[in-house]
Amino acid sequence: MRRLAAALLLLVPLAGCSGGARDQADAPEKTLHVYAAASLQNAFTEIGKRFEDANDGVTVKFTFGGSSDLVAQIEQGAPADVFASADTANMDKAVKARVIGGVPQNFASNTLEIVTPPGNPAHIESLRDLTGRSAKVVVCAPEVPCGAAAARVEEAAGLRIKPVSEEQSVTDVLGKVISGEADAGLVYVTDVLGAGAKVHGVTFPESRQAVNTYPIASLRSTHDETLAAGFTDYVVGPEGQSVLSTYGFQKP
Amino acid sequence: MSLTRQSGVPRWVLVPAALGAAFVVLPLVALATRVEWGSFFSLITSDSSRAALWLSLRTSAASTLLCVVFGVPMALVLARTTFRGQSLLRSIVLLPLVLPPVVGGIALLYTFGRKGLLGETIDVLGLQIAFSTTAVVIAQTFVALPFMVVSLEGTLRTAGERYEVVAATLGARPTTVLRRVTLPLVLPGLAAGAVLSFARALGEFGATITFAGSLEGVTRTLPLEIYLQRETDPDAAVALSLVLVVVAVLVIGLVRGTRSTAL
């Protein structure tokens, strides 16, 4: 499905070719395309609205997805102006692929938290409780950022979690816990906050061993370097930071 | 141009037909060009790749068996009986064909999941379906079953009831007619349906990842492994994709083989 979406995205600029130049000449409206990690969806949607309010005639359009998917799409020529990654590894990948225009800036960080269904039916109180055989635990696969963070936490704590499933993304982990299929999962602090009353969060001290840093950068392919830089500065600046903190993100 | 004369197809039809063929073939060629042939063999024989391939083959075989066990009677009922609401039932049975697999997965979760419709019953029986290989087989059977039903029902209708009627008038009981006349007659259609079901099960992704989860050797089938490998090792993902394409081509070859013996 994602591949199809990517293919369609590639067709979009073709379809827009004829009208593009005229639109720019007639209307002062500008559109900024921001490709951002899925975990930023709520925070960035609000930041985007505020940025639009602060800049007349500017529309911010978001594409949210897994960071590595987004890098792949940008590499294949997706029409993006700004890229915000959920980890430095994927930003490094983008830098290596020479698609980044500016210098990446770290703008937020996130740590893991244990998530359980409301009422915590399996009585999970610590990271150690996840290693027992009785509780069904889901984590992210080590190949994706949240799973890499989980592996670092396990290593730091000297524990080994025996998951019943290694999911593709943090939202999949959250989904399995919300539906009650799993007794516990490891997700980001921001995910627990975002899910509200549908879940119960259990913080654990070892989480500090795996801090995920979020970098943002404007892309080489942008048509409006000033606007792209304006957005990244806004995210790094006080307005962006205050929105991010209300969604549970910590300072980088 | 003998093609035009033989079949009476207007020449201009060949242009969109060729474009359509290119549309199918080109992505496969593109995939093949991205394969790192130097490391191809080591990529497809890594522990995780072999675990995924083996799991895929085992679960697809199991779900094909279930498709035969349930699909053949379903096709018989749809093709050889008439009752009120039959066309509605046929539409419902075919629904998984058009349903996005993710939706199928969510539906299965609310049926067989812990909190699902049958969750408590299954719990009482002491069975654990969520996150097990059984869940993979259920997901695959759900999406593959219509292929069996459609394929076999079509064959049953084409074959007609002449021989069955004759056998019955000669005193054969319904089970004997089914065993000795109907099934041998539609065997090629049944085989084609089974191969198609197997192919659909092998490619199953959405319902599996939604319903069964993803764990090496337990629920992570080849398509799930490809999707995961893409995150860190695109070369491995491409190599495994090619393996799946080759298996699919072999399967299509098998279907064509059974079809041609039917003619």
Side-chain angles (χ1 to χ4, degrees), chain A residues 114-117 120-124 129-139 161-167 173 176-186, chain B residues 112-115 122-123 126-133 135 211-212 215 218-219:
Chain A
I114 296 169
V115 64
T116 76
N120 196 355
H123 310 293
I124 305 291
D129 291 346
L130 300 185
T131 59
R133 289 199 168 272
S134 53
K136 284 185 187 241
V137 181
V138 285
V139 296
I161 298 171
K162 286 255 164 65
V164 291
S165 180
E166 293 172 352
E167 300 288 328
V173 174
K176 296 257 156 49
V177 172
I178 290 176
S179 68
E181 285 308 305
D183 297 316
L186 277 177
Chain B
F112 297 101
R114 252 183 184 181
K115 301 273 173 72
I122 292 163
D123 225 25
L127 297 172
Q128 297 273 3
I129 287 184
F131 306 117
S132 70
T133 307
F211 172 54
L215 192 68
V218 183
T219 50

Side-chain angles (χ1 to χ4, degrees), chain B residues 6-219:
Chain B
Q6 268 178 7
S7 55
V9 171
R11 207 167 280 193
W12 59 266
V13 169
L14 296 177
V15 177
L19 279 175
F23 179 66
V24 174
V25 171
L26 212 56
L28 298 179
V29 172
L31 186 71
T33 61
R34 284 301 177 96
V35 174
E36 291 280 337
W37 292 106
S39 53
F40 179 74
F41 197 69
S42 65
L43 287 174
I44 63 163
T45 52
S46 72
D47 283 348
S48 53
S49 302
R50 276 177 18 219
L53 181 62
W54 177 229
L55 180 71
S56 269
L57 293 175
R58 264 172 24 209
T59 52
S60 301
S63 40
T64 305
L65 196 69
L66 288 176
C67 284
V68 172
V69 168
F70 296 111
V72 173
M74 283 163 80
L76 282 167
V77 169
L78 287 175
R80 290 290 188 262
T81 64
T82 43
F83 54 90
R84 272 182 67 135
Q86 190 177 25
S87 60
L88 180 70
L89 185 75
R90 182 181 292 114
S91 310
I92 291 172
V93 165
L94 298 188
L95 210 53
L97 270 184
V98 289
L99 215 58
V102 176
V103 176
I106 294 173
L108 289 171
L109 199 60
Y110 289 132
T111 313
F112 297 101
R114 252 183 184 181
K115 301 273 173 72
L117 217 55
L118 304 176
E120 275 181 31
T121 321
I122 292 163
D123 225 25
V124 168
L125 294 171
L127 297 172
Q128 297 273 3
I129 287 184
F131 306 117
S132 70
T133 307
T134 313
V136 177
V137 175
I138 291 175
Q140 290 176 345
T141 308
F142 182 78
V143 297
L145 194 55
F147 284 85
M148 185 54 151
V149 178
V150 171
S151 175
L152 189 58
E153 195 199 343
T155 315
L156 279 165
R157 288 186 181 280
T158 317
E161 295 181 55
R162 283 171 298 161
Y163 299 110
E164 292 162 25
V165 171
V166 171
T169 52
L170 292 175
R173 287 140 70 89
T175 306
T176 314
V177 175
L178 177 67
R179 200 165 49 83
R180 302 286 298 275
V181 179
T182 314
L183 287 183
L185 206 58
V186 297
L187 201 59
L190 200 158
V195 172
L196 282 175
S197 300
F198 182 83
R200 180 64 189 89
L202 199 64
E204 212 315 290
F205 173 78
T208 310
I209 204 162
T210 319
F211 172 54
S214 174
L215 192 68
E216 186 178 315
V218 183
T219 50

Side-chain angles (χ1 to χ4, degrees), chain A residues 25-50:
Chain A
D26 283 355
E29 269 100 34
K30 294 174 180 176
T31 303
L32 188 73
H33 291 274
V34 177
Y35 276 44
S39 49
L40 292 166
Q41 182 151 8
N42 295 334
F44 263 39
T45 306
E46 188 173 336
I47 289 178
K49 275 196 202 111
R50 293 192 181 197

Side-chain angles (χ1 to χ4, degrees), chain A residues 2-241:
Chain A
R2 281 197 201 174
R3 277 288 142 108
L4 179 66
L8 290 176
L9 272 174
L10 292 176
L11 293 175
V12 168
L14 292 176
C17 270
S18 52
R22 197 190 49 226
D23 287 351
Q24 268 174 5
D26 283 355
E29 269 100 34
K30 294 174 180 176
T31 303
L32 188 73
H33 291 274
V34 177
Y35 276 44
S39 49
L40 292 166
Q41 182 151 8
N42 295 334
F44 263 39
T45 306
E46 188 173 336
I47 289 178
K49 275 196 202 111
R50 293 192 181 197
F51 187 74
E52 285 172 357
D53 291 344
N55 297 273
D56 275 343
V58 171
T59 308
V60 184
K61 287 198 172 154
F62 288 107
T63 299
F64 295 106
S67 298
S68 59
D69 276 340
L70 296 178
V71 173
Q73 288 169 17
I74 292 166
E75 274 183 50
Q76 298 296 324
D81 299 301
V82 173
F83 172 50
S85 169
D87 64 354
T88 46
N90 279 299
M91 183 58 88
D92 291 347
K93 234 194 308 184
V95 170
K96 233 183 236 167
R98 303 170 65 84
V99 293
I100 300 298
V103 177
Q105 287 178 279
N106 296 336
F107 66 93
S109 70
N110 213 346
T111 48
L112 294 179
E113 188 171 339
I114 296 169
V115 64
T116 76
N120 196 355
H123 310 293
I124 305 291
E125 302 300 338
S126 69
L127 193 64
R128 184 168 292 279
D129 291 346
L130 300 185
T131 59
R133 289 199 168 272
S134 53
K136 284 185 187 241
V137 181
V138 285
V139 296
C140 289
E143 284 84 349
V144 295
C146 55
R152 284 205 300 277
V153 162
E154 281 179 70
E155 202 176 324
L159 297 171
R160 241 186 109 75
I161 298 171
K162 286 255 164 65
V164 291
S165 180
E166 293 172 352
E167 300 288 328
Q168 192 72 36
S169 77
V170 73
T171 32
D172 291 330
V173 174
L174 201 62
K176 296 257 156 49
V177 172
I178 290 176
S179 68
E181 285 308 305
D183 297 316
L186 277 177
V187 297
Y188 291 120
V189 170
T190 50
D191 299 309
V192 179
L193 205 65
K198 284 181 281 186
V199 296
H200 169 77
V202 181
T203 54
F204 58 99
E206 297 90 339
S207 66
R208 264 174 257 125
Q209 303 298 324
V211 179
N212 246 38
T213 308
Y214 288 64
I216 189 168
S218 53
L219 295 169
R220 192 185 275 254
S221 60
T222 180
H223 297 296
D224 195 335
E225 283 170 38
T226 328
L227 187 63
F231 184 80
T232 57
D233 287 345
Y234 191 85
V235 171
V236 178
E239 296 93 340
Q241 291 296 305

